[in-house]
Amino acid sequence: MTTKTPTELTGARTDEAASLIGDARERIDALDDRIIGLIQERMAISAVIQEARISSGGRRVNLAREMDVLAHYRDALGKPGTALAMTMLELCRGRV
């Protein structure tokens, strides 16, 4: 089994660039772990909200609130923010 060098793993042409890319990827991986944890926390909080809404006779989903969330993400991140928010909302729906 051949072990790849850092430059082969990163696609960089120099060791310096490979090192920088490797360090940056470690930071991205740590951020991704934090983002996943935050989404899981959001899912749990959404479940509490949905349970309270349903048990009080309300609907599972509040569409006006979802539109506010979509607008917030779109305003902050542009058009791709809307798709990101839709995915997040989908993850947070229907867990009750």
Side-chain angles (χ1 to χ4, degrees), residues 22 40 54 68 70 72:
Q40 290 170 332
I54 291 168
D68 290 342
L70 291 171
H72 180 69

Side-chain angles (χ1 to χ4, degrees), residues 46-62 92-96:
S46 291
V48 169
I49 292 168
Q50 288 174 45
E51 179 65 33
R53 190 181 303 117
I54 291 168
S55 67
S56 72
R59 302 180 118 170
R60 180 176 59 90
V61 175
N62 180 334
C92 294
R93 280 190 213 123
R95 301 288 185 212
V96 177

Side-chain angles (χ1 to χ4, degrees), residues 2-5 8 14 16 29-30 45 50 53 56 58 64-65 67 70 76-77 81-82 85:
T2 306
T3 304
K4 291 187 176 188
T5 66
E8 291 171 326
T14 66
E16 181 181 345
D29 290 344
I45 294 168
Q50 288 174 45
R53 190 181 303 117
S56 72
R65 170 63 179 155
M67 295 304 291
L70 291 171
L77 302 171
T82 303

Side-chain angles (χ1 to χ4, degrees), residues 10-95:
T10 63
R13 303 260 178 184
T14 66
D15 289 340
E16 181 181 345
S19 177
L20 184 134
I21 291 168
D23 292 345
R25 284 181 177 171
E26 286 180 21
R27 290 177 56 206
I28 285 174
D29 290 344
L31 287 169
D32 285 343
D33 288 342
R34 288 172 48 199
I35 291 166
I36 290 167
L38 289 170
I39 291 171
Q40 290 170 332
E41 182 178 352
R42 190 187 195 288
M43 290 168 65
I45 294 168
S46 291
V48 169
I49 292 168
Q50 288 174 45
E51 179 65 33
R53 190 181 303 117
I54 291 168
S55 67
S56 72
R59 302 180 118 170
R60 180 176 59 90
V61 175
N62 180 334
L63 294 178
R65 170 63 179 155
E66 288 197 358
M67 295 304 291
D68 290 342
V69 172
L70 291 171
H72 180 69
Y73 274 71
R74 182 189 63 244
D75 292 346
L77 302 171
K79 187 177 178 181
T82 303
L84 177 62
M86 286 296 295
T87 299
M88 185 191 57
L89 289 170
E90 183 180 343
L91 285 168
C92 294
R93 280 190 213 123
R95 301 288 185 212

